[in-house]
Amino acid sequence: NEVNIPDRISLQEAVELMDKVVPEPLRSTLKLRALEDLSYPEIARRQQIPIGTVMSRLHRARGYLREYQEGFL
């Protein structure tokens, strides 16, 4: 369930991809998980949202990245 950013792109490129493809507020939730390695409860506390919302946002954000990736296959 983790966001797998391919090894062949740099961290900067990964951040730029998230900024380009994933809309807010999904992007900020994804960045907390993928870049800061926060747990779901930590993200929920930081963003002051329920854990279920964290899970939903991450699922939707991954969907945006998946759709983007499939467009290049």
Side-chain angles (χ1 to χ4, degrees), residues 1-63:
N1 261 358
E2 292 304 308
V3 175
N4 294 318
I5 300 171
D7 292 336
R8 65 182 176 270
I9 66 172
S10 70
L11 180 58
Q12 180 62 36
E13 290 170 323
V15 170
E16 289 172 5
L17 178 62
M18 284 185 222
D19 289 342
K20 177 181 177 182
V21 175
V22 182
E24 282 295 343
L26 309 179
R27 182 185 328 127
S28 60
T29 303
L30 179 61
K31 284 183 175 182
L32 290 173
R33 181 67 179 158
L35 303 177
E36 295 188 34
D37 198 30
L38 296 183
S39 68
Y40 289 12
E42 290 169 326
I43 295 168
R45 279 192 297 276
R46 172 94 54 100
Q47 295 191 318
Q48 299 180 338
I49 58 175
I51 291 177
T53 302
V54 170
M55 295 168 64
S56 174
R57 286 181 181 179
L58 291 173
H59 178 78
R60 290 174 52 209
R62 290 180 188 118

